[in-house]
Amino acid sequence: AKRTMTLIEKNGYPDSVYQNAARIFQDIRTEKSKDRTLVQYGNNSESPVLAFKDEHSRRVSYELAFNALKYQDLLEEILVDSSVYPCHSIADELTSLLVVMLYDLQDRKFQARKIFDEEEPVEEVQEVDRYLYSCRTKLAAALARCRIKHDALSIDHFVPNTIWKQQQRVSALPFCVWINTLKISLQDVIRYLKMKGLTKVESVSDFGHYTYAMDQHCHDVLVFPSSLKEELLNLDLFADCKLLLQ
């Protein structure tokens, strides 16, 4: 049967997401000894308190920060190997932003970021974005050299083995979604999912890719296979808080 759902194109995020992700990364990044230090992060101890536009912005900000942490060694190596770092116009206080935005740029396959007209631009985010994008060819070449050097098919191979195993376990787990019955009925959700090409099955043991099941104990909870998570979180039902990720 023809599926109505497609893979979500990665367009980047509004400026505020990068700004918040950089502040989070600054606090959680791995501190290294002097002999292993490749980049300087500066002191952002007086950074303002995080302000999230909504729950989606909070989730993607933390997700972006932790992805940058996961690949911190690789991202730093790419910046130095490409000669993109150091840069006299980018202060050390913006290095966390540089690393976070580099992770996202390579995740978009070095394609241009979508412009989000509805949000106020953040000057330092715009500056780093322009700088990294102008250096995208050198950065992509540095990434390729790192992969050859470490005999890695993709950046996933740079993740420590213990973390990789944890990711594999987590990524295989089904996830649950609450129906916000103050905004939408179960019947309307079922009709919407059917329109999107999803089929209701009896239990998780019957899961295929485009399937879902009702929770056996809570009738306002739906369970989905992990492979659908990214697609579902981009549906209007989540943006309108009619469905809530458990």
Side-chain angles (χ1 to χ4, degrees):
K2 184 179 179 181
R3 302 298 186 188
T4 59
M5 299 180 77
T6 58
L7 289 175
I8 303 302
E9 184 180 355
K10 293 177 178 176
N11 293 319
Y13 305 103
D15 288 6
S16 60
V17 169
Y18 294 111
Q19 188 177 45
N20 285 330
R23 291 171 186 166
I24 296 165
F25 176 75
Q26 176 72 14
D27 290 336
I28 64 176
R29 64 183 173 81
T30 302
E31 294 278 359
K32 299 179 180 178
S33 58
K34 284 187 177 181
D35 60 314
R36 293 185 60 241
T37 298
L38 294 178
V39 301
Q40 300 295 326
Y41 282 95
N43 180 12
N44 286 347
S45 58
E46 296 183 2
S47 293
V49 177
L50 296 175
F52 300 103
K53 179 181 176 183
D54 50 35
E55 187 56 35
H56 175 73
S57 296
R58 180 192 299 271
R59 179 177 62 81
V60 295
S61 296
Y62 275 96
E63 194 173 82
L64 188 54
F66 276 91
N67 277 327
L69 174 66
K70 195 162 56 177
Y71 298 106
Q72 180 179 336
D73 289 347
L74 172 64
L75 297 169
E76 291 176 352
E77 186 176 346
I78 291 172
L79 285 172
V80 173
D81 183 65
S82 63
S83 299
V84 168
Y85 179 92
C87 172
H88 71 275
S89 64
I90 306 292
D92 286 347
E93 283 70 27
L94 296 181
T95 302
S96 287
L97 183 61
L98 198 67
V99 171
V100 163
M101 295 193 74
L102 173 57
Y103 170 80
D104 184 60
L105 179 61
Q106 68 75 36
D107 196 40
R108 300 194 316 268
K109 310 300 182 188
F110 298 96
Q111 298 301 306
R113 179 166 68 109
K114 175 185 173 183
I115 303 301
F116 292 83
D117 295 326
E118 69 276 11
E119 253 205 359
E120 283 291 320
V122 178
E123 183 179 348
E124 55 194 33
V125 173
Q126 298 279 321
E127 178 188 0
V128 170
D129 185 38
R130 285 191 297 269
Y131 177 62
L132 285 175
Y133 191 68
S134 70
C135 301
R136 62 191 181 280
T137 302
K138 293 194 291 184
L139 291 166
L143 173 58
R145 286 193 294 271
C146 287
R147 287 173 52 188
I148 293 169
K149 175 183 173 182
H150 297 282
D151 193 25
L153 293 176
S154 70
I155 71 164
D156 291 335
H157 290 75
F158 290 91
V159 176
N161 197 45
T162 52
I163 295 178
W164 185 83
K165 288 180 179 178
Q166 289 172 357
Q167 287 181 167
Q168 294 303 108
R169 286 196 294 269
V170 170
S171 65
L173 293 174
F175 66 99
C176 297
V177 167
W178 288 92
I179 299 171
N180 183 354
T181 53
L182 295 175
K183 291 192 171 187
I184 194 169
S185 68
L186 170 61
Q187 292 73 25
D188 285 341
V189 170
I190 290 174
R191 278 194 289 271
Y192 182 90
L193 295 175
K194 184 177 180 180
M195 180 185 70
K196 290 294 185 180
L198 279 88
T199 303
K200 181 171 172 267
V201 295
E202 289 302 312
S203 70
V204 295
S205 60
D206 301 319
F207 272 173
H209 182 45
Y210 283 92
T211 55
Y212 69 96
M214 301 285 299
D215 186 274
Q216 295 181 0
H217 305 288
C218 301
H219 297 300
D220 55 352
V221 173
L222 304 178
V223 187
F224 295 89
S226 58
S227 57
L228 283 178
K229 192 169 188 178
E230 184 175 351
E231 293 181 62
L232 288 177
L233 290 176
N234 283 278
L235 293 179
D236 291 339
L237 293 184
F238 281 93
D240 297 336
C241 295
K242 293 176 180 178
L243 293 182
L244 305 169
L245 180 65
Q246 171 61 44

